[in-house]
Amino acid sequence: MKRFKIPETGNNVILKSKKTDDYKEIKIVEVEDEFYAIELATGKSLKDNSETFIGESIPDLLGCLQNRYEIYLEDDSAEMELP
């Protein structure tokens, strides 16, 4: 079984929607002790409807994201086929 590696601040992460075949590439950033997912395509924080994904820690942020996305570290993306 492959262990999940927790990304660090500044790491890029690929998110695959659980509902569609859409992918997003994000960077995890820390601002004033809160963690955000910044979309690389837009430079804006990732939102669900009008609510921004925010975590008190990286695992907390990933917990919010995993409800809507499959999470891949950029190192893992070589193993999956991107469209």
Side-chain angles (χ1 to χ4, degrees):
M1 173 185 274
K2 188 173 184 179
R3 293 182 59 155
F4 182 76
K5 178 182 169 191
I6 299 292
E8 298 176 2
T9 302
N11 284 156
N12 290 358
V13 177
I14 296 173
L15 304 177
K16 181 187 177 297
S17 173
K18 290 184 176 181
K19 294 182 179 180
T20 66
D21 288 333
D22 293 338
Y23 289 87
K24 295 181 185 284
E25 188 172 4
I26 63 161
K27 182 176 288 286
I28 296 176
V29 298
E30 181 179 8
V31 179
E32 297 180 1
D33 296 327
E34 292 183 320
F35 293 86
Y36 296 84
I38 304 298
E39 276 190 79
L40 295 181
T42 64
K44 297 181 179 182
S45 60
L46 186 64
K47 296 184 179 200
D48 180 23
N49 298 323
S50 63
E51 192 170 318
T52 302
F53 288 103
I54 301 173
E56 294 179 0
S57 65
I58 292 175
D60 185 38
L61 175 62
L62 295 175
C64 295
L65 293 171
Q66 75 179 1
N67 293 328
R68 298 189 54 99
Y69 300 99
E70 293 175 16
I71 301 169
Y72 300 92
L73 291 179
E74 198 163 66
D75 293 352
D76 294 340
S77 64
E79 298 174 15
M80 60 184 230
E81 289 187 28
L82 296 176

